[in-house]
Amino acid sequence: MKKVVLALAAVAGLAATGAKAQGYPTRPITMIVPFAAGGPTDVVARIVTDNMSRTLGQQIVIENVAGAGGTTGITRAAQSQPDGYTIMMGHMGTHGAAPALYPNLKYDPTKDFAPIGLAAGTPIVIVAKKDFPANDLKGFLDYLSKNADKVNMAHAGVGSVSHSTGIFFNSVVKAKPTMVAYRGTGPALNDLMANTVDFMTDQIVNVAPQIQGGNIKAFAIATPERSPVLPNVPTTKEAGLQGYEVSAWNAVFAPKGTPADVVKKLSDALMKSLDDENTKKRLLELGGVIPSNAERTPEALQKLVESEVARWTPVLKAAGATAE
Ligand code: MLT
């Protein structure tokens, strides 16, 4: 009898979810951003959801749930009702690096989500406070090699993009600065501009305006080509550093079990947003990279997540990184 009741409840739930999918969305949607407001993931989320809200006919409301390098917010989103009314902005850290650093991570990036699509590529820039006693990457690395115990590095929590790309950087240049955790690189950037923290490896969309404004220093960008918005910032290779090329990405996910036609509506709205001239202009002027059509599909994002988990686990293990 109990089994019959449970089966009926499950069918009723599915039917309800199915029913809702047809008129989806009928009320505002919450997007969980797992870092502090004003940082790169928040900026990308607010830019792409602006047009998505218009397409879907309902507001996408950003809710910042920071902590534990982004895994707190992503865990909450992954465990939310899979009805399309809670989605999230994950990234290379939460859905790539985190498994290597959190043995008890409460989600599996490759299994517990319905990928919606890539939102933006975000190259990594090595930036420092304005008063840092070096004017180029060579001088910076020289100072770091002699004074690592006096230098601190900001990051957005273990497993975040700034932490994992920072750990990777430190392993390449063989330095061990003091790591200083923030709830996002938005607040970390404020301290960098206040000269109270020394340097970080951060996503271009967060730091480009302050570099252009001369409020912080940029020693190099970790991509094969210079960024069109930072023409005076050399690549790591040009600046004499081999073996440090890394770009991050931000992407939209829904919880596993979200109905397929809801996933399709969200994915179509994201793709339309990335074709929107205003959305593109706002991402490009911050140095963001617009995904190609092939890179934008849910299937492509699933593959990216699987390859990133496979890529970052050995890199972070080799660097001796552990969850603090
Ligand atoms: C943020 O939005 O603060 C960043 O994405 C944090 C990070 O992962 O470095």
Side-chain angles (χ1 to χ4, degrees), residues 108-154:
D108 178 336
T110 65
K111 293 195 177 71
D112 297 334
F113 301 89
I116 303 296
L118 203 52
T122 48
I124 297 297
V125 189
I126 304 165
V127 293
K129 65 183 182 184
K130 201 172 172 184
D131 294 357
F132 197 96
N135 295 316
D136 58 22
L137 188 63
K138 190 173 172 316
F140 171 67
L141 294 179
D142 189 43
Y143 185 89
L144 195 54
S145 65
K146 295 186 181 104
N147 306 281
D149 57 338
K150 293 201 213 81
V151 174
N152 55 46
M153 176 186 226

Side-chain angles (χ1 to χ4, degrees), residues 21-304:
Q22 270 110 40
Y24 177 84
T26 57
R27 55 188 166 86
I29 298 162
T30 297
M31 174 180 276
I32 291 184
V33 167
F35 295 99
T41 302
D42 187 69
V43 165
V44 170
R46 290 177 195 275
I47 290 174
V48 298
T49 56
D50 189 16
N51 185 271
M52 286 179 74
S53 298
R54 274 196 286 279
T55 301
L56 294 164
Q58 288 287 345
Q59 191 58 37
I60 299 179
V61 179
I62 304 288
E63 184 185 343
N64 298 87
V65 181
T71 61
T72 302
I74 295 298
T75 299
R76 184 192 294 182
Q79 295 171 350
S80 63
Q81 184 70 19
D83 57 7
Y85 291 100
T86 302
I87 59 177
M88 68 209 86
M89 187 65 79
H91 66 16
M92 184 208 85
T94 59
H95 286 71
L101 296 166
Y102 291 94
N104 308 315
L105 192 61
K106 293 195 182 66
Y107 61 83
D108 178 336
T110 65
K111 293 195 177 71
D112 297 334
F113 301 89
I116 303 296
L118 203 52
T122 48
I124 297 297
V125 189
I126 304 165
V127 293
K129 65 183 182 184
K130 201 172 172 184
D131 294 357
F132 197 96
N135 295 316
D136 58 22
L137 188 63
K138 190 173 172 316
F140 171 67
L141 294 179
D142 189 43
Y143 185 89
L144 195 54
S145 65
K146 295 186 181 104
N147 306 281
D149 57 338
K150 293 201 213 81
V151 174
N152 55 46
M153 176 186 226
H155 63 86
V158 170
S160 64
V161 164
S162 47
H163 178 263
S164 44
T165 60
I167 292 283
F168 176 35
F169 175 78
N170 293 339
S171 70
V172 170
V173 303
K174 299 189 176 29
K176 280 203 174 314
T178 305
M179 304 294 279
V180 183
Y182 289 80
R183 296 173 70 71
T185 53
L189 179 59
N190 294 339
D191 273 9
L192 204 69
M193 290 196 287
N195 286 304
T196 53
V197 72
D198 296 321
F199 83 103
M200 66 180 173
T201 54
D202 194 17
Q203 299 169 71
I204 193 170
V205 293
N206 190 39
V207 292
Q210 301 310 333
I211 296 168
Q212 292 159 341
N215 303 318
I216 59 174
K217 285 179 175 171
F219 293 128
I221 186 166
T223 45
E225 309 294 330
R226 293 189 182 201
S227 168
V229 305
L230 298 173
N232 304 324
V233 177
T235 66
T236 46
K237 257 208 187 101
E238 285 173 327
L241 177 61
Q242 302 300 327
Y244 189 70
E245 285 187 350
V246 57
S247 260
W249 46 271
N250 288 262
V252 182
F253 298 86
K256 182 175 71 177
T258 300
D261 51 0
V262 168
V263 168
K264 175 111 180 46
K265 278 192 179 169
L266 289 163
S267 170
D268 291 350
L270 175 59
M271 289 195 187
K272 191 162 176 282
S273 180
L274 293 173
D275 285 335
D276 168 65
E277 287 312 318
N278 183 41
T279 302
K280 287 196 289 190
K281 178 175 172 293
R282 293 172 67 193
L283 286 172
L284 291 171
E285 66 192 11
L286 291 173
V289 178
I290 310 288
S292 67
N293 286 344
E295 291 168 330
R296 292 178 195 183
T297 65
E299 297 73 24
L301 179 54
Q302 179 62 29
K303 286 204 181 76
L304 175 64

